[in-house]
Amino acid sequence: MFQPRIPVNPLPTGLVAPLVQPTATADITPHHTADTMACNHHHAPAPAPVPASSSALRLTPAGLAVVVAGGAGAVLVVGTVLVSMLLAVAVSAASVAVCAVVLRSLLNGQRRQR
């Protein structure tokens, strides 16, 4: 129940190949999904799939737009949070300064009355 199962990718040729290729070199036989029916036609062999030569990440224009929009949104959210935190610190400091001035004024007023 808790063991992962690797999904398979059915190819148009009827062969089923796993999505993750094994790293160890072992004898792997392709699995046929259905028995091929005998026909009177001569079929050319299916071309072998060409593996990708580079492992570089390729983005479509829509994918690139999504990445750029997501990055811009993240920058805006982080900037907004940082500015609001700075504003909260500034307001707190100003209120503490006002309280200190008022308390000093009250204490100086009491000393003069004595």
Side-chain angles (χ1 to χ4, degrees), residues 32-51:
H32 294 282
T33 55
D35 293 333
T36 58
M37 297 181 63
C39 63
N40 295 331
H41 302 15
H42 293 287
H43 297 280
V50 178

Side-chain angles (χ1 to χ4, degrees), residues 5-22:
R5 294 185 181 153
I6 299 174
V8 293
N9 182 19
L11 299 175
T13 59
L15 301 175
V16 176
L19 292 176
V20 178
Q21 299 295 330

Side-chain angles (χ1 to χ4, degrees), residues 5-6 16 23 41-42 45 65 68 70 73 75 80 82 88-89 92 94 112:
R5 294 185 181 153
I6 299 174
V16 176
T23 56
H41 302 15
H42 293 287
V68 169
V75 167
T80 303
L82 290 177
V89 168
S92 299
R112 290 182 186 164

Side-chain angles (χ1 to χ4, degrees), residues 14-109:
L15 301 175
V16 176
L19 292 176
V20 178
Q21 299 295 330
T23 56
T25 57
D27 293 332
I28 299 174
T29 57
H31 300 285
H32 294 282
T33 55
D35 293 333
T36 58
M37 297 181 63
C39 63
N40 295 331
H41 302 15
H42 293 287
H43 297 280
V50 178
S53 61
S54 67
S55 63
L57 180 65
R58 295 181 183 166
L59 290 175
T60 62
L64 185 62
V66 168
V67 169
V68 169
V75 167
L76 289 175
V77 167
V78 169
T80 303
V81 168
L82 290 177
V83 167
S84 64
M85 289 173 61
L86 181 64
L87 184 62
V89 168
V91 167
S92 299
S95 64
V96 167
V98 167
C99 288
V101 168
V102 169
L103 284 176
R104 190 173 97 180
S105 173
L106 289 174
L107 290 176
N108 282 341

